[in-house]
Amino acid sequence: LLAPGGTVHVDILKVPHHGSDRNIDPVFFRRITADHYVFSGNGEHGNPERATLRMLTDTAGSRSFTVHLTCPVDEIDTAREADWNKERKAEMARKKKDAKVQVRVAWSCAKYSIAALLSAQPKFAQTLRIVTSTVRI
């Protein structure tokens, strides 16, 4: 469906890999647009990543769309922070054996939480819907 260099628009797009920023880039969101974007991450392994949500908002322009999260933002951010701290602790342990190991900075809600992103971008926050077992699209 997607010719080289082409674009496609769909009604609903389930964002790949729970919204990991390791598996997507801004080109993806420029080439595949949707009316509804579903992010199924629950914060485990840091997903959905704030960076992925930023890619979407940065490439969407004035286009109208809705973002559906399958877990409340506060629960996602709590799990993302726990994952961040776990990975940071592991990096610090590896650095004791290898000085070249990069250790991520301490978690900052302002820099890394989805809640802070939504607060800074109220128009984007208005696109957000939470989908749970009792609330459906």
Side-chain angles (χ1 to χ4, degrees):
L1 291 176
L2 189 59
T7 61
V8 66
H9 182 82
V10 297
D11 294 330
I12 299 172
L13 176 68
K14 192 280 187 189
V15 178
H17 206 257
H18 309 289
S20 170
D21 65 354
R22 291 176 205 92
N23 298 81
I24 203 163
D25 62 26
V27 173
F28 177 86
F29 288 117
R30 282 194 291 273
R31 294 190 64 204
I32 305 173
T33 61
D35 296 325
H36 300 270
Y37 294 88
V38 178
F39 288 80
S40 64
N42 63 2
E44 186 176 1
H45 306 296
N47 298 322
E49 297 276 1
R50 177 177 160 151
T52 304
L53 293 167
R54 285 294 309 262
M55 286 179 220
L56 173 58
T57 63
D58 290 349
T59 59
S62 62
R63 189 173 51 77
S64 178
F65 60 90
T66 303
V67 170
H68 303 272
L69 299 177
T70 59
C71 200
V73 171
D74 60 334
E75 291 179 24
I76 292 171
D77 278 343
T78 297
R80 291 181 72 248
E81 181 179 5
D83 183 71
W84 181 279
N85 291 331
K86 175 183 147 196
E87 291 299 320
R88 185 170 189 269
K89 184 178 177 181
E91 291 163 356
M92 290 188 316
R94 286 193 302 274
K95 186 163 186 79
K96 289 179 181 178
K97 297 176 183 176
D98 180 357
K100 295 178 186 176
V101 171
Q102 295 284 326
V103 177
R104 65 186 68 196
V105 299
W107 173 266
S108 164
C109 286
K111 287 183 178 181
Y112 305 119
S113 74
I114 293 171
L117 172 66
L118 297 173
S119 179
Q121 295 189 11
K123 185 177 177 186
F124 177 55
Q126 292 174 355
T127 73
L128 191 68
R129 303 292 177 267
I130 307 300
V131 181
T132 65
S133 60
T134 58
V135 177
R136 307 242 181 232
I137 297 175

